[in-house]
Amino acid sequence: MSEKTREELIEEVADLIANAKRVMVFTGAGISTESGIPDFRGPDGLWTKVDPNDFTYQKFVSDKEARKRLWQLNRYMGLTWKDIEPNLAHYAVAEMDKMGKLDCVITQNVDGLHQKAGVPDDKVIQLHGNMQWVKCIDCGVRHSYEEVERWLEAGAEDLECVQCGGILKPDAVFFGEAMPVHETMEAERRSSQCDLCIVIGSSLVVYPAALMPQYALQSGAKIVIINDGETGMDRAADVRIWDKAGEVMSEVVKKVKSKLGVD
Ligand code: APR
Ligand code: ZN
């Protein structure tokens, strides 16, 4: 059978969405690279620049130098969380919600861009937490990352809790740290109930997060993968598009709108 063209694949994805009852979108760092945030395992991924072993929970809580390196990471990447903006792919997913074609987004990302693009908070399940907050690991007091960025700009190198002197840590899940229980259970439930799972921008190699599209597959859902690199589920995909998420998802949503007769 000859290879399908990009247009035929996009048409197929639009048909699947138009006919689906419960669409679960599963996203990884690849949906945010067009917003200027590096992914981890792509050609210029973060793990090609810094050592992931510096980002384990154990290292963070036990090694002051590792903590100082982490707090400088955003500056090193030229990132300030308050300035990052959603891109076409995030807005396309939010459009799906407006058309009543999104049950939920299950994301491994900690950038909060799905919510910023307009997906309601209660439809975004953040398996790896969110970098918009920093929490004391001892007493739980929370600070916004914006506030913390001001301390870092003023020269702070390591951050201690003003309440109890404990260690402040970004509210993201580090390697060696469990995913939040409620979000994990909810993600498992929604993954098993969906009839269409669309994976966008994930290599699907980090567990247990990458189990979610597997639960969808096992429950009989159709699997679409939009990713411009290898993934751990390529052979299981009903439709596989190797291209940039922003362009593909914009074209897909435009076709869904015309199929549903919405403007
Ligand atoms: N469009 C489509 N795909 C893209 C784009 C893009 N614009 N940019 C990057 N990609 C692809 C990359 O080729 C890669 O295959 O997105 C994928 C991102 O994979 P990873 O970098 O492994 O990111 P992710 O799957 O989210 O990693 C999971 O690993 O390091 C931990 O906790 C971290 O949540 C993260 C987890
Ligand atoms: Zn504290």
Side-chain angles (χ1 to χ4, degrees):
M1 184 178 71
S2 70
E3 285 281 296
K4 286 182 185 153
T5 65
R6 183 180 180 281
E7 276 46 45
E8 285 165 337
L9 293 170
I10 286 177
E11 184 70 30
E12 237 180 284
V13 175
D15 273 335
L16 286 170
I17 295 172
N19 297 312
K21 290 188 182 48
R22 275 175 186 263
V23 185
M24 180 271 268
V25 172
F26 183 86
T27 62
I31 198 172
S32 295
T33 52
E34 292 167 68
S35 295
I37 303 174
D39 63 12
F40 298 96
R41 296 170 190 83
D44 299 324
L46 190 62
W47 298 151
T48 66
K49 300 188 173 75
V50 295
D51 175 1
N53 294 319
D54 243 2
F55 297 86
T56 62
Y57 182 78
Q58 275 316 317
K59 187 94 185 233
F60 184 83
V61 295
S62 60
D63 180 337
K64 187 177 180 66
E65 289 313 307
R67 280 201 298 280
K68 284 160 73 172
R69 282 195 292 276
L70 177 117
W71 290 119
Q72 293 313 317
L73 189 65
N74 282 351
R75 197 192 304 264
Y76 165 73
M77 293 195 297
L79 265 180
T80 48
W81 289 108
K82 64 181 179 314
D83 299 341
I84 53 170
E85 288 299 326
N87 64 59
L88 288 175
H90 295 106
Y91 286 119
V93 174
E95 279 295 300
M96 286 171 61
D97 179 51
K98 290 194 188 82
M99 291 189 275
K101 281 293 175 181
L102 181 71
D103 177 64
C104 66
V105 178
I106 299 175
T107 188
Q108 302 168 93
N109 298 342
V110 295
D111 54 33
L113 289 180
H114 285 298
Q115 298 92 319
K116 213 167 182 181
V119 180
D121 285 1
D122 65 352
K123 286 195 171 184
V124 182
I125 301 173
Q126 298 176 117
L127 294 177
H128 290 165
N130 191 318
M131 282 296 266
Q132 309 299 328
W133 298 103
V134 168
K135 230 163 61 172
C136 170
I137 60 175
D138 294 318
C139 73
V141 78
R142 277 186 4 160
H143 300 274
S144 75
Y145 209 96
E146 279 188 51
E147 185 184 6
V148 165
E149 273 179 335
R150 284 196 292 272
W151 301 342
L152 295 168
E153 272 145 29
E157 289 189 317
D158 191 9
L159 303 175
E160 272 183 14
C161 173
V162 287
Q163 304 270 72
C164 75
I167 293 172
L168 292 187
K169 175 184 163 297
D171 206 11
V173 175
F174 283 25
F175 287 121
E177 209 177 350
M179 293 199 307
V181 175
H182 170 73
E183 285 77 357
T184 303
M185 288 170 62
E186 186 57 14
E188 287 168 359
R189 192 172 71 81
R190 307 289 271 273
S191 300
S192 308
Q193 286 178 344
C194 74
D195 58 356
L196 176 61
C197 168
I198 303 179
V199 176
I200 308 175
S202 179
S203 59
L204 297 178
V205 297
V206 172
Y207 286 81
L211 283 175
M212 302 307 161
Q214 315 250 358
Y215 293 142
L217 177 67
Q218 285 154 18
S219 310
K222 294 278 188 199
I223 307 292
V224 171
I225 298 181
I226 298 164
N227 197 64
D228 71 358
E230 291 274 336
T231 80
M233 273 180 79
D234 283 339
R235 274 189 304 286
D238 296 284
V239 185
R240 179 68 174 91
I241 302 182
W242 281 64
D243 206 337
K244 292 283 173 238
E247 292 151 29
V248 170
M249 280 309 292
S250 302
E251 290 172 45
V252 162
V253 162
K254 211 157 71 191
K255 283 187 181 299
V256 175
K257 281 186 176 176
S258 62
K259 288 175 190 298
L260 298 181
V262 301
D263 60 349

